[in-house]
Amino acid sequence: MTANQRTLGIMTRCQGSHFIDKGYYKKLTLFGRKHGIRVFVFSPRRVNFSSRTVSGFEYKNGAWQSDTFPLPAFVYDRCFVGPAYRNYKPFVDKLQNDRNLTFLGHGLSGKWQVHQMLIHSAVLAPSLPPTEILTYSALQGTLDHYGSAIIKPMAGTHGIGVVRITERRGGYEIAGRNRENKPFRRVVKEPGGLKTFVTTFTTGRKFLVQPYLELHTPDGSPFDVRVLVQKNGKGEWETTGKAVRIGDKKSITSNLHGGGKAVPLTPFLSRHYKPAMQARIEQTIDRLTGELPRFLEKSHGRLVELGIDVGIDTSGNVWIIEVNSRPGRTVFTMINDPAAQFHSITQPVRYAHYLMKERVGGY
């Protein structure tokens, strides 16, 4: 295997020399180096397809240094989907269609597409909240049936744009996070006022509507469980770690970017559920998160890792809330789980190493 075949490019959105997750990418680079793999960071917009080179950044001698690299043999896609993604997508698509590049995994395209795939699993379907593409009639139908609904952007992250709408005597209560991720709450009196709010709030973006699930502790703090599953050095799925994310009581989501905190799973469950219920919840989470990556891969194609967000309602039912193919790792630092933290960083390199060996039948 040539030196160029032992390269792993971390594809992300860069503004000049500015890109997020530098600490994570530094650790990936250092771990890769130990395995004889050269790791660098690049933007899909900085690829020169005629010379098959890319401008990027490599961590060496204690700093990020810019350089021009041959196109990497393997690509780790960390290009987060959001409003700015449309500026990157044509370049990402071109790279994905390049036969000489191997992506560790292909990013999921959106919440609706993922829901449409998972609904075909007999194991997973019962744990998916009823979901529709948002129209005013779909929202009204959800409110009529359940009394309360959640609307969320199809391609949103960090709880931004997630809104709960509840029928109240004399109108509707609306609570959630706006596009700047700031919490807000208001009441509208008439259906016309609700329609105006929904039309204005969702302009330019596609949303989903679901029933509002009571995913909070008895004292009213919203929470969910983040399960990180990753491919290991043998190309097999493994659970890296689990953590509970708890949001502020004034919030409807538990995202860390919205001011939440993280705690270990088992002690949290034992505080809020009786032992038999706790055992059943943990078994259900393991069953769902064991089934989901393999099932999703059958429809979607190769994946490298997934952050699976699981909700537990006040009756102890377990729900699959969201699946993210570009998951963060902050929770494992916050709950002081060094093993999960180490694995979360090193597994992508181990999997890349496995793919490199597969490509040449061992070396």
Side-chain angles (χ1 to χ4, degrees):
M1 177 174 277
T2 66
N4 189 42
Q5 288 175 304
R6 295 178 63 85
T7 52
L8 176 62
I10 302 169
M11 184 174 72
T12 190
R13 284 163 30 185
C14 303
Q15 295 291 335
S17 62
H18 297 289
F19 50 92
I20 61 169
D21 287 340
K22 281 186 174 177
Y24 170 41
Y25 301 153
K26 170 187 165 182
K27 288 171 185 166
L28 270 179
T29 304
L30 298 175
F31 188 74
R33 207 167 280 158
K34 283 183 188 170
H35 287 265
I37 299 169
R38 188 183 191 188
V39 181
F40 61 87
V41 175
F42 75 98
S43 162
R45 292 176 61 107
R46 302 298 304 277
V47 174
N48 183 328
F49 285 94
S50 56
S51 65
R52 297 195 65 76
T53 58
V54 58
S55 301
F57 302 90
E58 184 176 17
Y59 188 83
K60 56 185 182 184
N61 304 323
W64 286 101
Q65 299 183 19
S66 61
D67 205 344
T68 300
F69 306 88
L71 270 181
F74 294 83
V75 176
Y76 179 31
D77 180 359
R78 295 287 294 171
C79 229
F80 292 96
V81 174
Y85 187 68
R86 65 179 176 273
N87 302 322
Y88 291 81
K89 191 175 186 310
F91 303 96
V92 174
D93 290 346
K94 193 166 181 180
L95 288 165
Q96 287 185 335
N97 291 323
D98 191 310
R99 288 184 184 171
N100 296 308
L101 271 62
T102 301
F103 275 63
L104 302 192
H106 296 286
L108 297 172
S109 48
K111 296 181 178 75
W112 177 246
Q113 289 83 352
V114 171
H115 183 272
Q116 292 300 94
M117 290 183 236
L118 297 184
I119 203 80
H120 296 291
S121 161
V123 174
L124 304 172
S127 296
L128 294 169
T131 304
E132 292 181 76
I133 293 172
L134 177 64
T135 60
Y136 189 70
S137 62
L139 171 61
Q140 204 55 63
T142 304
L143 289 172
D144 290 346
H145 197 271
Y146 298 99
S148 195
I150 283 274
I151 63 171
K152 56 171 76 167
M154 278 194 198
T157 55
H158 308 323
I160 297 167
V162 178
V163 174
R164 180 184 67 208
I165 299 166
T166 308
E167 284 186 317
R168 296 271 186 246
R169 205 181 279 172
Y172 303 90
E173 183 189 57
I174 303 168
R177 289 186 174 276
N178 64 17
R179 293 183 186 218
E180 288 74 48
N181 208 11
K182 297 281 191 299
F184 72 91
R185 192 176 295 264
R186 71 180 65 162
V187 173
V188 295
K189 297 261 168 65
E190 305 291 334
L194 177 62
K195 192 169 189 176
T196 300
F197 166 80
V198 169
T199 304
T200 308
F201 190 80
T202 62
T203 297
R205 293 188 297 172
K206 290 181 177 164
F207 274 66
L208 299 177
V209 59
Q210 299 173 330
Y212 171 68
L213 303 170
E214 303 277 346
L215 307 177
H216 56 73
T217 60
D219 67 353
S221 297
F223 76 93
D224 66 10
V225 181
R226 162 55 65 95
V227 183
L228 179 62
V229 293
Q230 297 175 293
K231 294 261 188 79
N232 61 19
K234 296 176 183 173
E236 297 160 349
W237 285 103
E238 221 174 74
T239 297
T240 294
K242 302 171 200 158
V244 177
R245 302 181 300 185
I246 308 170
D248 188 277
K249 285 183 191 178
K250 295 193 283 291
S251 175
I252 64 162
T253 61
S254 52
N255 297 76
L256 303 180
H257 288 258
K261 62 178 183 177
V263 297
L265 175 64
T266 301
F268 173 85
L269 291 178
S270 64
R271 277 200 304 278
H272 295 291
Y273 300 94
K274 291 180 176 162
M277 176 73 85
Q278 177 187 342
R280 187 178 66 74
I281 289 170
E282 295 209 55
Q283 283 164 9
T284 305
I285 290 172
D286 288 344
R287 182 170 55 84
L288 295 175
T289 56
E291 168 76 6
L292 190 149
R294 294 171 186 84
F295 187 85
L296 192 52
E297 230 176 5
K298 282 181 205 164
S299 312
H300 171 77
R302 184 157 61 211
L303 293 156
V304 56
E305 59 189 351
L306 292 170
I308 305 171
D309 295 341
V310 172
I312 304 165
D313 68 22
T314 47
S315 304
N317 300 308
V318 177
W319 299 94
I320 298 164
I321 302 303
E322 198 166 321
V323 184
N324 188 337
S325 55
R326 301 171 183 89
R329 289 147 174 77
T330 318
V331 285
F332 304 117
T333 311
M334 293 175 85
I335 67 171
N336 193 23
D337 185 340
Q341 203 183 338
F342 179 72
H343 274 89
S344 75
I345 291 161
T346 56
Q347 290 287 48
V349 173
R350 287 196 185 97
Y351 181 54
H353 193 249
Y354 161 80
L355 289 177
M356 287 172 188
K357 287 190 289 186
E358 287 282 293
R359 177 182 272 194
V360 292
Y363 57 84

mmCIF file of all heavy atoms in Angstrom, residues 1-23:
data_model
loop_
_atom_site.group_PDB
_atom_site.id
_atom_site.type_symbol
_atom_site.label_atom_id
_atom_site.label_comp_id
_atom_site.label_asym_id
_atom_site.label_seq_id
_atom_site.Cartn_x
_atom_site.Cartn_y
_atom_site.Cartn_z
ATOM 1 N N MET A 1 0.852 -1.196 0.000
ATOM 2 C CA MET A 1 0.000 0.000 0.000
ATOM 3 C C MET A 1 0.884 1.241 0.000
ATOM 4 O O MET A 1 1.788 1.357 0.814
ATOM 5 C CB MET A 1 -0.906 -0.013 1.240
ATOM 6 C CG MET A 1 -1.785 1.216 1.364
ATOM 7 S SD MET A 1 -2.975 1.121 2.709
ATOM 8 C CE MET A 1 -4.281 0.207 1.961
ATOM 9 N N THR A 2 0.627 2.145 -0.916
ATOM 10 C CA THR A 2 1.452 3.352 -1.010
ATOM 11 C C THR A 2 1.093 4.315 0.117
ATOM 12 O O THR A 2 0.034 4.209 0.744
ATOM 13 C CB THR A 2 1.213 4.067 -2.353
ATOM 14 O OG1 THR A 2 -0.131 4.556 -2.371
ATOM 15 C CG2 THR A 2 1.447 3.139 -3.523
ATOM 16 N N ALA A 3 1.998 5.274 0.346
ATOM 17 C CA ALA A 3 1.763 6.273 1.401
ATOM 18 C C ALA A 3 0.470 7.025 1.142
ATOM 19 O O ALA A 3 -0.287 7.331 2.062
ATOM 20 C CB ALA A 3 2.943 7.237 1.466
ATOM 21 N N ASN A 4 0.186 7.329 -0.148
ATOM 22 C CA ASN A 4 -1.020 8.094 -0.454
ATOM 23 C C ASN A 4 -2.292 7.309 -0.134
ATOM 24 O O ASN A 4 -3.329 7.886 0.163
ATOM 25 C CB ASN A 4 -1.026 8.516 -1.927
ATOM 26 C CG ASN A 4 -2.143 9.497 -2.210
ATOM 27 O OD1 ASN A 4 -2.384 10.401 -1.410
ATOM 28 N ND2 ASN A 4 -2.846 9.313 -3.308
ATOM 29 N N GLN A 5 -2.207 5.966 -0.219
ATOM 30 C CA GLN A 5 -3.386 5.153 0.117
ATOM 31 C C GLN A 5 -3.628 5.102 1.618
ATOM 32 O O GLN A 5 -4.693 4.713 2.055
ATOM 33 C CB GLN A 5 -3.204 3.739 -0.444
ATOM 34 C CG GLN A 5 -3.342 3.673 -1.961
ATOM 35 C CD GLN A 5 -3.025 2.289 -2.488
ATOM 36 O OE1 GLN A 5 -1.956 1.742 -2.245
ATOM 37 N NE2 GLN A 5 -3.968 1.711 -3.198
ATOM 38 N N ARG A 6 -2.618 5.488 2.382
ATOM 39 C CA ARG A 6 -2.775 5.495 3.846
ATOM 40 C C ARG A 6 -3.076 6.917 4.338
ATOM 41 O O ARG A 6 -2.496 7.383 5.315
ATOM 42 C CB ARG A 6 -1.511 4.950 4.506
ATOM 43 C CG ARG A 6 -1.266 3.472 4.178
ATOM 44 C CD ARG A 6 0.015 2.976 4.808
ATOM 45 N NE ARG A 6 -0.038 3.039 6.257
ATOM 46 C CZ ARG A 6 -0.559 2.092 7.038
ATOM 47 N NH1 ARG A 6 -1.091 1.014 6.506
ATOM 48 N NH2 ARG A 6 -0.566 2.220 8.343
ATOM 49 N N THR A 7 -3.978 7.596 3.621
ATOM 50 C CA THR A 7 -4.373 8.951 4.018
ATOM 51 C C THR A 7 -5.855 8.988 4.336
ATOM 52 O O THR A 7 -6.668 8.367 3.650
ATOM 53 C CB THR A 7 -4.071 9.981 2.906
ATOM 54 O OG1 THR A 7 -4.660 9.516 1.683
ATOM 55 C CG2 THR A 7 -2.586 10.188 2.727
ATOM 56 N N LEU A 8 -6.174 9.747 5.382
ATOM 57 C CA LEU A 8 -7.564 9.929 5.802
ATOM 58 C C LEU A 8 -7.842 11.426 5.837
ATOM 59 O O LEU A 8 -7.227 12.163 6.618
ATOM 60 C CB LEU A 8 -7.790 9.307 7.184
ATOM 61 C CG LEU A 8 -9.182 9.508 7.803
ATOM 62 C CD1 LEU A 8 -10.272 8.864 6.953
ATOM 63 C CD2 LEU A 8 -9.225 8.942 9.227
ATOM 64 N N GLY A 9 -8.735 11.878 4.970
ATOM 65 C CA GLY A 9 -9.113 13.288 4.952
ATOM 66 C C GLY A 9 -10.390 13.500 5.750
ATOM 67 O O GLY A 9 -11.395 12.822 5.525
ATOM 68 N N ILE A 10 -10.337 14.417 6.718
ATOM 69 C CA ILE A 10 -11.541 14.774 7.470
ATOM 70 C C ILE A 10 -12.211 15.917 6.709
ATOM 71 O O ILE A 10 -11.663 17.023 6.624
ATOM 72 C CB ILE A 10 -11.208 15.228 8.905
ATOM 73 C CG1 ILE A 10 -10.449 14.133 9.652
ATOM 74 C CG2 ILE A 10 -12.479 15.613 9.650
ATOM 75 C CD1 ILE A 10 -9.852 14.603 10.979
ATOM 76 N N MET A 11 -13.357 15.640 6.119
ATOM 77 C CA MET A 11 -14.056 16.642 5.305
ATOM 78 C C MET A 11 -15.007 17.437 6.186
ATOM 79 O O MET A 11 -15.902 16.867 6.814
ATOM 80 C CB MET A 11 -14.824 15.934 4.183
ATOM 81 C CG MET A 11 -15.496 16.887 3.224
ATOM 82 S SD MET A 11 -16.247 15.992 1.830
ATOM 83 C CE MET A 11 -17.644 15.205 2.646
ATOM 84 N N THR A 12 -14.791 18.752 6.236
ATOM 85 C CA THR A 12 -15.632 19.590 7.083
ATOM 86 C C THR A 12 -15.796 20.958 6.434
ATOM 87 O O THR A 12 -15.186 21.250 5.403
ATOM 88 C CB THR A 12 -15.034 19.711 8.505
ATOM 89 O OG1 THR A 12 -15.974 20.342 9.365
ATOM 90 C CG2 THR A 12 -13.728 20.498 8.510
ATOM 91 N N ARG A 13 -16.634 21.794 7.042
ATOM 92 C CA ARG A 13 -16.839 23.144 6.521
ATOM 93 C C ARG A 13 -15.794 24.068 7.117
ATOM 94 O O ARG A 13 -15.715 24.205 8.334
ATOM 95 C CB ARG A 13 -18.252 23.616 6.866
ATOM 96 C CG ARG A 13 -19.256 22.960 5.960
ATOM 97 C CD ARG A 13 -20.695 22.983 6.375
ATOM 98 N NE ARG A 13 -21.175 24.083 7.165
ATOM 99 C CZ ARG A 13 -22.415 24.135 7.651
ATOM 100 N NH1 ARG A 13 -23.273 23.164 7.407
ATOM 101 N NH2 ARG A 13 -22.804 25.151 8.373
ATOM 102 N N CYS A 14 -14.964 24.650 6.279
ATOM 103 C CA CYS A 14 -13.900 25.559 6.731
ATOM 104 C C CYS A 14 -14.168 26.969 6.217
ATOM 105 O O CYS A 14 -14.561 27.134 5.071
ATOM 106 C CB CYS A 14 -12.531 25.108 6.198
ATOM 107 S SG CYS A 14 -12.031 23.439 6.638
ATOM 108 N N GLN A 15 -13.944 27.947 7.071
ATOM 109 C CA GLN A 15 -13.920 29.351 6.649
ATOM 110 C C GLN A 15 -12.477 29.810 6.822
ATOM 111 O O GLN A 15 -12.055 30.107 7.936
ATOM 112 C CB GLN A 15 -14.860 30.197 7.527
ATOM 113 C CG GLN A 15 -16.329 29.844 7.400
ATOM 114 C CD GLN A 15 -16.893 30.217 6.042
ATOM 115 O OE1 GLN A 15 -16.388 31.107 5.381
ATOM 116 N NE2 GLN A 15 -17.927 29.511 5.613
ATOM 117 N N GLY A 16 -11.719 29.803 5.739
ATOM 118 C CA GLY A 16 -10.281 30.066 5.867
ATOM 119 C C GLY A 16 -9.660 28.974 6.721
ATOM 120 O O GLY A 16 -9.813 27.791 6.445
ATOM 121 N N SER A 17 -8.985 29.381 7.793
ATOM 122 C CA SER A 17 -8.380 28.387 8.698
ATOM 123 C C SER A 17 -9.301 28.059 9.870
ATOM 124 O O SER A 17 -8.889 27.387 10.815
ATOM 125 C CB SER A 17 -7.041 28.907 9.222
ATOM 126 O OG SER A 17 -7.244 30.091 9.976
ATOM 127 N N HIS A 18 -10.540 28.554 9.828
ATOM 128 C CA HIS A 18 -11.482 28.318 10.934
ATOM 129 C C HIS A 18 -12.362 27.108 10.628
ATOM 130 O O HIS A 18 -13.032 27.051 9.595
ATOM 131 C CB HIS A 18 -12.370 29.546 11.166
ATOM 132 C CG HIS A 18 -11.589 30.757 11.580
ATOM 133 N ND1 HIS A 18 -11.001 30.873 12.821
ATOM 134 C CD2 HIS A 18 -11.278 31.892 10.908
ATOM 135 C CE1 HIS A 18 -10.370 32.027 12.899
ATOM 136 N NE2 HIS A 18 -10.513 32.670 11.740
ATOM 137 N N PHE A 19 -12.347 26.130 11.536
ATOM 138 C CA PHE A 19 -13.259 24.995 11.442
ATOM 139 C C PHE A 19 -13.503 24.491 12.860
ATOM 140 O O PHE A 19 -12.668 24.663 13.756
ATOM 141 C CB PHE A 19 -12.708 23.889 10.529
ATOM 142 C CG PHE A 19 -11.291 23.459 10.819
ATOM 143 C CD1 PHE A 19 -11.024 22.410 11.687
ATOM 144 C CD2 PHE A 19 -10.217 24.100 10.206
ATOM 145 C CE1 PHE A 19 -9.715 22.016 11.955
ATOM 146 C CE2 PHE A 19 -8.912 23.710 10.462
ATOM 147 C CZ PHE A 19 -8.658 22.655 11.343
ATOM 148 N N ILE A 20 -14.669 23.897 13.071
ATOM 149 C CA ILE A 20 -15.032 23.461 14.420
ATOM 150 C C ILE A 20 -14.375 22.116 14.741
ATOM 151 O O ILE A 20 -13.839 21.442 13.863
ATOM 152 C CB ILE A 20 -16.564 23.373 14.597
ATOM 153 C CG1 ILE A 20 -17.168 22.350 13.623
ATOM 154 C CG2 ILE A 20 -17.214 24.737 14.434
ATOM 155 C CD1 ILE A 20 -18.609 22.023 13.935
ATOM 156 N N ASP A 21 -14.433 21.730 16.007
ATOM 157 C CA ASP A 21 -13.940 20.428 16.489
ATOM 158 C C ASP A 21 -12.440 20.237 16.301
ATOM 159 O O ASP A 21 -11.954 19.115 16.112
ATOM 160 C CB ASP A 21 -14.688 19.267 15.802
ATOM 161 C CG ASP A 21 -16.118 19.110 16.301
ATOM 162 O OD1 ASP A 21 -16.397 19.610 17.406
ATOM 163 O OD2 ASP A 21 -16.933 18.502 15.601
ATOM 164 N N LYS A 22 -11.671 21.322 16.395
ATOM 165 C CA LYS A 22 -10.215 21.210 16.208
ATOM 166 C C LYS A 22 -9.587 20.259 17.232
ATOM 167 O O LYS A 22 -8.660 19.521 16.896
ATOM 168 C CB LYS A 22 -9.554 22.592 16.306
ATOM 169 C CG LYS A 22 -9.689 23.413 15.032
ATOM 170 C CD LYS A 22 -8.891 24.712 15.102
ATOM 171 C CE LYS A 22 -8.938 25.437 13.754
ATOM 172 N NZ LYS A 22 -8.249 26.728 13.784
ATOM 173 N N GLY A 23 -10.082 20.298 18.461
ATOM 174 C CA GLY A 23 -9.528 19.419 19.507
ATOM 175 C C GLY A 23 -9.712 17.946 19.157
ATOM 176 O O GLY A 23 -8.798 17.127 19.324
#
